[in-house]
Amino acid sequence: MSLTSASPLEAAQSAKSASHILATLSADARNDALTAIHSGLTAARDEILAANARDLELARKAAADGQLSQSLVSRLDLTKPGKWEDMLKGILDVRGLEDPVGRVTLRTQLDEGLNLERVTCPIGVLLIIFEARPEVIANIAALAIKSGNAAILKGGKESTESFVAISRVISSALENTQVPNGAVQLVTTRDVIPQLLALDKYVDLVIPRGGNELVRYIKDNTKIPVLGHADGLCSIYLDSSADKALAEKVIVDSKTNYVAACNALETLLVQESALSTHLPGVATALAAKNVELRCDAASKAALANTPGLNIVDATEEDFNTEFLSLTLAIKVISGLSEAITHINSHGSHHTDVILTSNKEDAETFMNAIDSAGVYHNASTRFADGMRYGFGTEVGISTNKIHSRGPVGLEGLMIYKYKIRGGGQGAGDYGEGKRQYLHQKLPWE
Amino acid sequence: MSLTSASPLEAAQSAKSASHILATLSADARNDALTAIHSGLTAARDEILAANARDLELARKAAADGQLSQSLVSRLDLTKPGKWEDMLKGILDVRGLEDPVGRVTLRTQLDEGLNLERVTCPIGVLLIIFEARPEVIANIAALAIKSGNAAILKGGKESTESFVAISRVISSALENTQVPNGAVQLVTTRDVIPQLLALDKYVDLVIPRGGNELVRYIKDNTKIPVLGHADGLCSIYLDSSADKALAEKVIVDSKTNYVAACNALETLLVQESALSTHLPGVATALAAKNVELRCDAASKAALANTPGLNIVDATEEDFNTEFLSLTLAIKVISGLSEAITHINSHGSHHTDVILTSNKEDAETFMNAIDSAGVYHNASTRFADGMRYGFGTEVGISTNKIHSRGPVGLEGLMIYKYKIRGGGQGAGDYGEGKRQYLHQKLPWE
């Protein structure tokens, strides 16, 4: 890893060169590098935590002056119980994942002695822009090396000291491995993001890890593909055939399990015929968790006799809002078809749920909703790489191409086609000449 | 299909709505629509060819005035032998392809009664911008419907009459099918491309089918992902261990089989030690096909005693040029490592070839070259969907995400995650609570 005082352009060029070497390294060589990083970090614990303490001191002062949020200070802290150990374990977890490079995904005999293969390979150079969490740098370095990609890292300024300390350790750990020096670059100079986003000749994919504003800014300011999501406006459609206790539980979990998450519930659509049967119970369960209900006229009327609720009149804007707080917009609709139309036009194509006991309706909903995750009778909060069983997660994508939903190592791969021949030309084939066999061969 | 006098925005909105219906149609419903289109076009042959004749008449006049190239006139002509029949057969070929929608590609039991599935689904709305060939409209309509995607088509103005006639037939054919009217939109009004490229809220993927300039313009003027390639600067590295006859044949085929293609050879890198043994024979074979050689000093010197060549001194720019003509740039390099560096920095990441009898070097080359196609001892011209056995081709991509190389139906698909549960919440899992099973299940 380079501790670049290098310019963004130099960092990107050197990452590109390194990516071409990384692409040829064996799985063992890449895994050995992860082992070296793990050992290096283990040995340098005190030095890194001392650097982190300096970041924390500044951050606490800024927080006391009201310039920084308390939650950011908390995210900075590497001494929080389990955080350091999780960071180290994460590197070994990534090392233990199946090698994503060089997997054959198609094999066709074009002709005798002319064979086509499709093989997974790294994308090239990743630009990862993230906010405060200093442990992310180790995690991302591990994912990048495992997947054979070079990475340029740009972290938030609040964790600069921690980043520099961690990357110094990683850098020296990599020196005795086959992974080239330019493979992981840390850019610490300020205000370089616009320059980095312009380097589409060298950077193949941008992965922002941070809030909506950061992601939206990046998407609006680069021609490089961006993997991620700006919004997480998740909805649940509550059908009148749903089991009542099930509905209450899933809605409460989706809304309150972690309100600041992108996969938290923001809009509840209630079928008209479920208004008197289901909504009062759901609203009471939400009120017990201190959820404010932004109700349209019909749902407000249906709740008029339910005590203990915190109801506010909904505006149109509430149905386009990702609250990220204990607030839920509630709208009454006629049924499935209106639910689909509403979610496809108001949602953010992240994760949406139908609660129903009608399996056919559930399948229709899951096929028609244009989102990365479509669930039947389960919480929106399951939209997560760890919960899906993917191991470490790079992020959650609402893109319509490449990777969608929670993205693990697979999302950092592309493929190439290899042909092995014996001197064939395209001119050898055609009418009156040789014919293609196009014989599919097994590949696993 | 709508014959839109509609605005681009209206077309895009209506395509988006249609895409949500298309995504729920069965394979039979989509195939029936292709059958209907095939029958409709078969019955309307005379009417369409009459419209095409009107386009041709105008084009021939423009060509006579020097305002249009003769090759464009030729591409317009639907009466060229086999063209009409191929267009119709193409629709049936697409209908016969395996259904790409709803294929399960991952299945994991998260817990008892909580199951995760990854399922292929359409991307949504495609914007296809193409130049003169009127038969493409039928081809693209078939691919879009088969893959469950809605499509907005914008064709070149020279084929307007043909487009309108074909789309009128397709439109009326679709009326008796389940495919909604907005699923295929033809936009014929002029100067709408910039407006269409701004509709990233509705359009999910742009596919330009045309020359470099069109593709480059589109890539530079939209935030929507673009599937395709602007350049095809393909290279061959000739190693001194290569079989001489094989090298001559592959190089001649790559350069001369079809010079205007994106997969034609543009740069030949010759290993220094192959200068006297291989280059004269290769140059003589190329001269026999009237290829002009743009030689660097070392290759020019090596060819000084070879008669009958057309040699021009190469400039630096020649090694960054896609000639698309009977011209080849030739450079002498020390060996494999320099070849890799040259191709990765000067090439366009389309298709590159090593000619060698050393298998280890071939594998190194194929892993290290950052291109969609990497071949050993075979012509660059094999980079083609038909030759790969993919059936109809949407285009060739040099993207590093989603689809790379020749793209068939698969490139028009993305996936979504479905979870089927029984009321589980994320809060049910964790320390002291339920644990995820993450049991991989078979899916084929």
Side-chain angles (χ1 to χ4, degrees):
Chain A
M1 171 164 329
S2 293
L3 280 177
T4 36
S5 48
S7 74
L9 177 64
E10 287 164 338
Q13 287 173 328
S14 132
K16 195 78 183 185
S17 302
S19 78
H20 295 142
I21 295 167
L22 261 173
T24 65
L25 295 185
S26 69
D28 283 348
R30 284 175 278 121
N31 286 338
D32 287 350
L34 298 194
T35 306
I37 291 174
H38 181 265
S39 309
L41 290 173
T42 304
R45 184 176 188 275
D46 294 347
E47 167 192 340
I48 292 168
L49 293 186
N52 186 238
R54 294 193 293 277
D55 280 335
L56 270 173
E57 197 189 331
L58 281 175
R60 288 202 179 105
K61 275 185 198 152
D65 297 348
Q67 291 163 1
L68 219 59
S69 74
Q70 200 52 53
S71 69
L72 196 144
V73 176
S74 158
R75 284 202 296 273
L76 263 181
D77 188 356
L78 278 177
T79 63
K80 278 209 304 194
K83 208 167 191 180
W84 175 263
E85 293 71 24
D86 284 353
M87 180 180 91
L88 287 176
K89 180 169 174 298
I91 297 169
L92 299 185
D93 285 350
V94 169
R95 189 186 64 181
L97 293 172
E98 206 185 325
D99 185 19
V101 181
R103 284 176 40 226
V104 177
T105 60
L106 183 85
R107 187 172 271 149
T108 307
Q109 186 182 32
L110 303 186
D111 191 6
E112 281 181 37
L114 187 68
N115 291 289
L116 173 73
E117 238 180 43
R118 187 172 62 195
V119 182
T120 60
C121 61
I123 288 178
V125 177
L126 316 176
L127 168 61
I128 297 124
I129 300 176
F130 44 103
E131 294 178 337
R133 305 169 186 272
E135 73 277 17
V136 168
I137 191 174
N139 179 279
I140 290 283
L143 282 170
I145 292 170
K146 179 79 185 186
S147 62
N149 287 289
I152 301 170
L153 310 174
K154 173 73 186 86
K157 69 174 188 308
E158 292 79 10
S159 35
T160 299
E161 294 263 351
S162 314
F163 281 143
V164 169
I166 294 175
S167 61
R168 190 169 285 146
V169 172
I170 296 181
S171 178
S172 95
L174 287 181
E175 253 166 39
N176 297 314
T177 74
Q178 293 179 55
V179 171
N181 194 262
V184 186
Q185 310 258 341
L186 177 70
V187 178
T188 52
T189 45
R190 292 187 61 179
D191 304 326
V192 294
I193 293 181
Q195 295 173 62
L196 287 166
L197 293 178
L199 296 171
D200 57 319
K201 190 176 165 192
Y202 301 101
V203 178
D204 298 299
L205 186 64
V206 185
I207 305 178
R209 306 231 348 188
N212 303 12
E213 258 180 75
L214 175 73
V215 179
R216 210 182 304 271
Y217 169 81
I218 290 170
K219 289 204 172 193
D220 286 346
N221 287 282
T222 188
K223 280 196 279 180
I224 306 167
V226 179
L227 195 154
H229 65 277
D231 301 299
L233 201 170
C234 302
S235 301
I236 289 183
Y237 165 54
L238 172 57
D239 178 81
S240 60
S241 76
D243 179 270
K244 280 187 239 179
L246 180 155
E248 287 168 24
K249 184 182 162 199
V250 170
I251 291 166
V252 167
D253 186 88
S254 299
K255 180 67 248 180
T256 69
N257 181 254
Y258 182 36
V259 291
C262 60
N263 56 15
L265 175 66
E266 307 292 4
T267 295
L268 175 65
L269 302 173
V270 184
Q271 191 175 23
E272 211 164 6
S273 50
L275 271 184
S276 58
T277 49
H278 292 65
L279 187 57
V282 167
T284 302
L286 287 166
K289 295 280 191 174
N290 301 311
V291 178
E292 174 189 302
L293 307 178
R294 301 269 175 102
C295 290
D296 70 348
S299 58
K300 186 181 179 186
L303 294 172
N305 299 320
T306 307
L309 305 181
N310 178 5
I311 293 185
V312 173
D313 287 332
T315 64
E316 255 318 288
E317 199 42 35
D318 286 330
F319 297 102
N320 299 315
T321 299
E322 187 184 5
F323 298 106
L324 297 172
S325 66
L326 286 169
T327 307
L328 178 67
I330 302 183
K331 190 184 180 75
V332 178
I333 55 170
S334 57
L336 181 61
S337 157
E338 198 181 339
I340 292 169
T341 306
H342 179 98
I343 294 173
N344 278 338
S345 55
H346 292 262
S348 68
H349 313 293
H350 190 296
T351 302
D352 300 291
V353 171
I354 181 170
L355 301 176
T356 182
S357 58
N358 182 324
K359 283 196 177 174
E360 210 179 300
D361 282 357
E363 294 304 316
T364 301
F365 179 91
M366 291 196 282
N367 288 331
I369 292 291
D370 186 14
S371 296
V374 283
Y375 302 169
H376 175 209
N377 289 350
S379 169
T380 56
R381 290 274 298 138
F382 286 112
D384 173 279
M386 190 279 293
R387 289 169 189 154
Y388 278 15
F390 294 172
T392 309
E393 169 185 291
V394 182
I396 295 187
S397 163
T398 53
N399 293 4
K400 298 292 284 288
I401 62 163
H402 199 65
S403 293
R404 197 181 194 197
V407 178
L409 270 185
E410 228 178 300
L412 303 181
M413 308 309 292
I414 182 68
Y415 53 80
K416 55 168 66 170
Y417 288 97
K418 295 181 175 180
I419 288 182
R420 297 182 180 88
Q424 291 86 346
D428 299 341
Y429 297 82
E431 260 187 57
K433 298 193 264 185
R434 294 193 68 84
Q435 301 302 309
Y436 290 100
L437 293 177
H438 289 151
Q439 177 71 42
K440 301 255 181 230
L441 302 176
W443 63 79
E444 289 190 299
Chain B
M1 172 164 331
S2 293
L3 280 177
T4 35
S5 49
S7 73
L9 178 63
E10 287 164 337
Q13 286 172 329
S14 131
K16 195 77 182 186
S17 302
S19 78
H20 296 142
I21 295 166
L22 260 173
T24 66
L25 295 186
S26 69
D28 283 348
R30 284 174 278 120
N31 286 339
D32 287 349
L34 298 194
T35 307
I37 291 174
H38 182 266
S39 310
L41 290 172
T42 304
R45 184 176 188 276
D46 294 347
E47 167 192 339
I48 293 168
L49 293 185
N52 186 237
R54 294 194 292 276
D55 280 334
L56 269 173
E57 197 189 330
L58 280 175
R60 287 202 180 104
K61 275 186 198 151
D65 297 348
Q67 290 162 1
L68 218 59
S69 74
Q70 200 52 55
S71 69
L72 194 146
V73 176
S74 158
R75 285 203 296 273
L76 263 182
D77 188 355
L78 277 176
T79 64
K80 278 209 303 193
K83 207 167 192 180
W84 175 263
E85 293 72 21
D86 284 353
M87 180 180 90
L88 286 176
K89 182 171 173 297
I91 297 168
L92 299 185
D93 286 350
V94 169
R95 189 186 62 181
L97 293 173
E98 207 186 326
D99 185 18
V101 181
R103 283 176 41 227
V104 178
T105 61
L106 183 85
R107 187 172 271 151
T108 307
Q109 186 183 32
L110 303 185
D111 190 6
E112 279 181 37
L114 187 69
N115 290 288
L116 174 73
E117 236 180 45
R118 187 172 62 196
V119 182
T120 61
C121 62
I123 288 178
V125 176
L126 316 175
L127 167 61
I128 298 123
I129 299 177
F130 44 103
E131 293 178 336
R133 305 170 186 272
E135 74 277 18
V136 168
I137 190 175
N139 179 278
I140 291 282
L143 283 169
I145 292 170
K146 178 79 184 185
S147 61
N149 287 288
I152 301 169
L153 311 173
K154 172 73 185 87
K157 69 175 190 304
E158 293 79 8
S159 34
T160 299
E161 294 263 349
S162 314
F163 281 142
V164 169
I166 294 175
S167 60
R168 190 168 286 146
V169 172
I170 296 181
S171 178
S172 96
L174 288 181
E175 254 166 38
N176 298 313
T177 74
Q178 293 180 54
V179 171
N181 194 261
V184 186
Q185 309 259 341
L186 177 69
V187 177
T188 52
T189 46
R190 292 187 60 179
D191 304 326
V192 295
I193 293 181
Q195 295 173 62
L196 288 166
L197 293 179
L199 296 171
D200 58 320
K201 190 175 165 192
Y202 302 100
V203 178
D204 297 299
L205 186 65
V206 186
I207 306 177
R209 308 232 345 190
N212 302 12
E213 257 179 77
L214 175 72
V215 179
R216 212 182 303 272
Y217 169 80
I218 290 171
K219 289 203 173 196
D220 287 346
N221 287 282
T222 188
K223 280 197 278 179
I224 307 167
V226 179
L227 195 154
H229 65 277
D231 301 299
L233 201 171
C234 301
S235 302
I236 289 183
Y237 165 54
L238 172 56
D239 177 82
S240 60
S241 75
D243 179 90
K244 280 188 239 180
L246 180 154
E248 288 169 23
K249 184 183 162 199
V250 170
I251 292 167
V252 168
D253 186 87
S254 299
K255 180 68 246 182
T256 69
N257 180 256
Y258 182 36
V259 292
C262 60
N263 57 15
L265 176 66
E266 306 293 2
T267 294
L268 176 65
L269 302 173
V270 184
Q271 190 175 25
E272 209 164 5
S273 50
L275 271 183
S276 58
T277 50
H278 292 65
L279 187 58
V282 167
T284 302
L286 288 165
K289 295 282 191 172
N290 300 312
V291 178
E292 176 190 300
L293 308 178
R294 301 270 174 100
C295 290
D296 70 349
S299 59
K300 186 181 179 185
L303 294 171
N305 298 320
T306 307
L309 306 180
N310 178 6
I311 293 184
V312 173
D313 288 333
T315 64
E316 255 318 291
E317 200 40 38
D318 287 331
F319 297 102
N320 300 315
T321 300
E322 186 183 6
F323 298 107
L324 297 172
S325 66
L326 286 168
T327 307
L328 179 66
I330 302 182
K331 188 184 181 77
V332 178
I333 55 170
S334 56
L336 181 61
S337 157
E338 197 180 339
I340 291 170
T341 305
H342 179 98
I343 294 172
N344 278 339
S345 56
H346 293 262
S348 68
H349 313 293
H350 189 296
T351 303
D352 301 289
V353 171
I354 182 169
L355 302 176
T356 182
S357 59
N358 182 323
K359 284 195 177 176
E360 209 179 301
D361 282 358
E363 294 303 316
T364 301
F365 179 91
M366 291 196 282
N367 288 332
I369 291 291
D370 187 14
S371 296
V374 284
Y375 301 170
H376 175 209
N377 290 349
S379 168
T380 55
R381 289 275 298 138
F382 286 111
D384 174 276
M386 190 280 294
R387 289 170 190 152
Y388 278 15
F390 294 171
T392 308
E393 170 185 291
V394 181
I396 294 187
S397 162
T398 54
N399 294 4
K400 298 293 282 293
I401 62 162
H402 199 65
S403 293
R404 197 180 195 197
V407 179
L409 269 186
E410 229 178 299
L412 303 181
M413 309 308 292
I414 181 71
Y415 53 81
K416 56 168 66 169
Y417 289 96
K418 295 181 175 178
I419 288 182
R420 296 183 180 88
Q424 292 86 348
D428 299 340
Y429 297 82
E431 261 186 57
K433 299 192 261 183
R434 294 194 68 83
Q435 301 302 310
Y436 291 99
L437 292 178
H438 289 151
Q439 178 71 40
K440 302 255 181 230
L441 303 175
W443 64 79
E444 288 190 299

